[in-house]
Amino acid sequence: MNDYRNEGGGSGVARFELGVDSITIEYSSGATYLYNVESAGREAIDTMKQLAEAGKGLNSFIGKHVRGKYARKMK
């Protein structure tokens, strides 16, 4: 997993891993979720990938647009 840069400060996202059609996010609490195109949609996954790589806005986007649309809670 890659460390999330958290350019905006105060994010709950700690790490992420990009897949072809998915993104796995580990939160600072240790909870880890897999989001994919089937659960959240292509547009949302593409946006999440861009925000993850930019290191800013990912937690906010998830809270506003994809909350609960994860494919699987991994831990």
Side-chain angles (χ1 to χ4, degrees), residues 13-25:
V13 175
R15 292 175 205 43
F16 67 94
E17 184 172 347
L18 304 180
V20 174
D21 292 324
S22 65
I23 182 169
T24 303
I25 298 178

Side-chain angles (χ1 to χ4, degrees), residues 7-63:
E7 298 287 335
S11 177
V13 175
R15 292 175 205 43
F16 67 94
E17 184 172 347
L18 304 180
V20 174
D21 292 324
S22 65
I23 182 169
T24 303
I25 298 178
E26 180 182 331
Y27 292 92
S28 54
S29 67
T32 305
Y33 293 86
L34 170 69
Y35 298 86
N36 62 28
V37 294
E38 290 82 20
S39 67
R42 167 66 61 197
E43 187 175 331
I45 295 300
D46 289 346
T47 299
M48 291 167 70
K49 287 180 175 184
Q50 291 171 357
L51 294 171
E53 291 179 323
K56 186 174 181 181
L58 181 57
N59 195 54
S60 178
F61 180 83
I62 292 169

